[in-house]
Every structure is written in structure tokens, then in C-alpha cells.
Amino acid sequence: MTIKNNIQDIRVVKLPQQTIYISSSNLYNSMFSNLAKTHDKIVLVVDKKFWEIFWDLVKQSIEKHASAKFIDYLLLDAKTTTKTTISIDYILQYMHSLVLSRNSCVVAIWWGYVWDLVWVATGLYMRGIDFYQCPTTLMAQCDSIIWKVAANLGSYKNVIWLFRSPKATYCNIDCLKTLPSSELYVAF
């Protein structure tokens, strides 16, 4: 299915438990417009690498479509050593400090392990609040249909598991243009 409007073409893939939207950088306009209609608060958790390249674009979309609902963002330096219960606890404490409700949502825009951390944290917080993901690498966009995430417990890798689908996945194909060619071949 393709949604056409004056801004962009958005490819929509409907799966049993989630919808995947695929488009260009203007995809964030549609995403924040939709989230502002259905949630009382919107929080972003963003990987620092993404922040450096795309924050201005995301900020414009928030200001245009969701400024009344957007309350905060959390920057993470996500790597394998931060994929731990300490990081999950940090995200849970952060969400609690913002007084998020069951009607709030968290959006993860990520490279690396932000996905795992936020997915587990949103699954635990208040028995699960809405989670949306914006994968920014080809490998992450391919993996985004897999509903299994894990975190490390101490030195034990991937022993905390969660099976849960995000409400939706937003794949911005313009992010792929910023990747080194070696990163594009990781998915194959």
C-alpha cells in the first residue's frame, strides 16, 4: 500500500502485530503528527550517532507536528557494554521521572543497542507502554520485524529476553545514505 500526499510517498507494510512505514526524511512529519493524536506524552530515546547527523530534521518535525506532546529526549551512547540492566534501570528511572502514563509513548531512534534497551524498558514500565522504533541502519531495518530483544545480566550476554512487538516501525531510507558502504553490506 502507498499513501500519497503533498509531502511524500509512504510505503506501508501491515503485519499481524505491527505496521512498518518506509519513506524518506519527511517520514518523521507523519510519525509525530500521528503520535500527537494518540498519546499524551512523547519521549525520544536517541543514539548519539544519530543525534549528530539527523537531530535538526527530527526537531523540525517535532516543532511542526507534536510540540505540545513532546516532553523530552534521552541520549544514549549505545554499545554492547551498555546493553545491561544498569542501562535499563536508568531508562526506567528516566521514564518515571517524566511521570509517563499508560497513554504515553517512547520512540527509539537508533543505531546499535538503543532498540534492545528501550524495548525492554517500555515492556516493563507500567506493564508495558507504547513503543515505536525508527531503525537507522540497513541491518536494523531488516531486524525490526523480529520481535525478540535481549539485554545482558552482568557478564552474561542476552539472558534477559522479551518478546513484544512495537506499535509501529518507521524506516527512514534517507538514513541509509549516511552510512559507510561497509555498513550497507552487513545485512547480507
Side-chain angles (χ1 to χ4, degrees), residues 156-167:
Y156 302 102
K157 188 172 175 151
N158 295 330
V159 296
I160 300 171
W161 286 47
L162 184 65
F163 289 90
R164 177 176 181 248
S165 65
K167 293 293 275 189

Side-chain angles (χ1 to χ4, degrees), residues 76-88 113 117 152:
L76 293 179
D77 187 12
K79 48 192 170 202
T80 190
T81 56
T82 60
K83 192 176 141 181
T84 66
T85 54
I86 294 168
S87 296
I88 293 168
Y113 298 99
L117 296 171
N152 303 336

Side-chain angles (χ1 to χ4, degrees), residues 120-178:
V120 171
T122 57
L124 295 172
Y125 187 78
M126 300 188 86
R127 297 186 188 140
I129 63 170
D130 287 350
F131 167 60
Y132 298 84
Q133 60 180 351
C134 301
T136 59
T137 64
L138 184 58
M139 180 75 150
Q141 290 178 359
C142 293
D143 283 351
S144 66
I145 63 167
I146 301 170
W147 302 328
K148 171 190 68 83
V149 292
N152 303 336
L153 180 61
S155 62
Y156 302 102
K157 188 172 175 151
N158 295 330
V159 296
I160 300 171
W161 286 47
L162 184 65
F163 289 90
R164 177 176 181 248
S165 65
K167 293 293 275 189
T169 298
Y170 294 86
C171 296
N172 178 350
I173 57 176
D174 284 349
C175 290
L176 302 179
K177 296 174 187 173
T178 68

Side-chain angles (χ1 to χ4, degrees), residues 14-87:
K14 294 228 177 235
L15 298 174
Q17 295 184 1
Q18 83 167 298
T19 303
I20 300 174
Y21 300 90
I22 304 168
S23 190
S24 65
S25 59
N26 289 329
L27 179 66
Y28 299 122
N29 291 332
S30 296
M31 178 182 73
F32 287 114
S33 178
N34 291 337
L35 296 180
K37 293 174 189 170
T38 56
H39 294 88
D40 65 349
K41 295 177 183 175
I42 302 168
V43 176
L44 298 181
V45 181
V46 183
D47 184 89
K48 285 183 179 178
K49 289 179 186 175
F50 176 88
W51 179 271
E52 295 166 2
I53 299 171
F54 284 101
W55 177 244
D56 289 336
L57 180 65
V58 172
K59 184 179 174 187
Q60 290 170 5
S61 295
I62 291 169
E63 289 171 350
K64 186 174 182 181
H65 298 284
S67 60
K69 303 287 181 96
F70 175 71
I71 59 169
D72 207 357
Y73 61 85
L74 176 65
L75 284 180
L76 293 179
D77 187 12
K79 48 192 170 202
T80 190
T81 56
T82 60
K83 192 176 141 181
T84 66
T85 54
I86 294 168
S87 296

Side-chain angles (χ1 to χ4, degrees), residues 80-128:
T80 190
T81 56
T82 60
K83 192 176 141 181
T84 66
T85 54
I86 294 168
S87 296
I88 293 168
D89 182 64
Y90 179 74
I91 294 169
L92 288 167
Q93 295 287 342
Y94 168 74
M95 292 190 301
H96 184 68
S97 72
L98 297 173
V99 194
L100 298 186
S101 71
R102 296 271 302 144
N103 198 33
S104 302
C105 72
V106 177
V107 178
I109 304 178
W110 50 278
W111 270 299
Y113 298 99
V114 171
W115 178 31
D116 291 293
L117 296 171
V118 176
W119 208 337
V120 171
T122 57
L124 295 172
Y125 187 78
M126 300 188 86
R127 297 186 188 140

